[in-house]
């Protein structure tokens, strides 16, 4: 399968899960020349190859129709920060939106078997933190918030906004995104018990 097809499949998968409401979310994969990213404002349940733009690592459009994602420059920054990042998947989910507002200092996870789906974790018996960065419409500012908390090997949450998952490949990034979403759903449920 080509990288483009892997990306399109990942977008359809995330959209089918209901993680991209009202055109929310953006998605990219690293290429030889930079990255391939979703166009801005498209319905992620109906994305096709014509809705992807080719960009260089400075975020300049090399080819493609329409405008790149409003958050394309953040994708570019992530690829520049870490040469091992091969894919960036961003979703707007209920749990990530609510919990990133409730816990802006980061979301502590401990005792979940699913933590092992996040690279570098081999046991449930560890406390890890999912970073949360303040939201901004200015991608340079948002990227600076992310850089200040780097490294973030699985991704991060943007406050009141959603999840940015990263991974070495599309498959690894999908695993991180799904694990983060599952761990957040568990945490949201537990937060309800205790509040
Ligand atoms: C529909 S609100 C979400 C947007 O503001 C943005 O955060 C987003 O995820 C999608 O923007 P896009 O420009 O389509 O990539
Ligand atoms: Zn978004």
């Amino acid at each position: 399968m080509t990288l483009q097809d892997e990306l399109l499949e990942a977008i359809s998968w995330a959209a089918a899960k209901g993680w991209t409401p009202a055109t929310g979310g953006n998605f990219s994969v690293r290429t030889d020349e930079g990255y391939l990213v979703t166009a801005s404002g498209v319905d992620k349940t109906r994305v096709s190859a014509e809705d992807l733009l080719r960009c260089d690592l400075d975020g300049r459009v090399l080819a493609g129709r329409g405008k790149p994602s409003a958050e394309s420059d953040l994708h570019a920054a992530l690829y520049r920060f870490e040469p091992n990042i091969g894919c960036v998947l961003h979703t707007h989910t209920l749990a990530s939106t609510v919990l990133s507002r409730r816990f802006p200092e980061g979301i502590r996870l401990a005792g979940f078997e699913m933590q092992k789906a996040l690279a570098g974790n081999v046991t449930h018996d560890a406390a890890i933190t999912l970073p949360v960065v303040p939201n901004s419409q200015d991608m340079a500012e948002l990227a600076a918030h992310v850089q200040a908390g780097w490294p973030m090997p699985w991704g991060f949450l943007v406050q009141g906004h959603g999840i940015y998952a990263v991974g070495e490949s599309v498959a690894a990034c999908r695993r991180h995104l799904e694990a983060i979403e599952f761990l957040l759903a568990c945490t949201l449920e537990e937060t309800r018990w205790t509040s």
Side-chain angles (χ1 to χ4, degrees), residues 24-26 71 90-92 161 164:
N26 35 70
E71 292 159 11
H90 165 55
T91 55
H92 283 231
H161 184 158
Y164 266 88

Side-chain angles (χ1 to χ4, degrees), residues 2-5 7-8 11 27-40 47-69 72-73 75-76 79:
T2 64
L3 282 175
Q4 175 176 288
D5 287 345
L7 180 64
L8 288 170
I11 299 167
F27 302 83
S28 71
V29 67
R30 189 191 285 273
T31 61
D32 290 343
E33 60 193 1
Y35 60 100
L36 196 59
V37 69
T38 42
S40 186
V47 170
S48 68
E50 289 74 51
D51 299 311
L52 300 176
L53 291 93
R54 289 166 41 207
C55 297
D56 68 17
L57 283 184
D58 291 319
R60 283 187 291 258
V61 175
L62 301 173
R65 198 178 64 183
K67 280 200 319 189
S69 166
S72 179
D73 285 347
H75 290 243
Y79 290 120

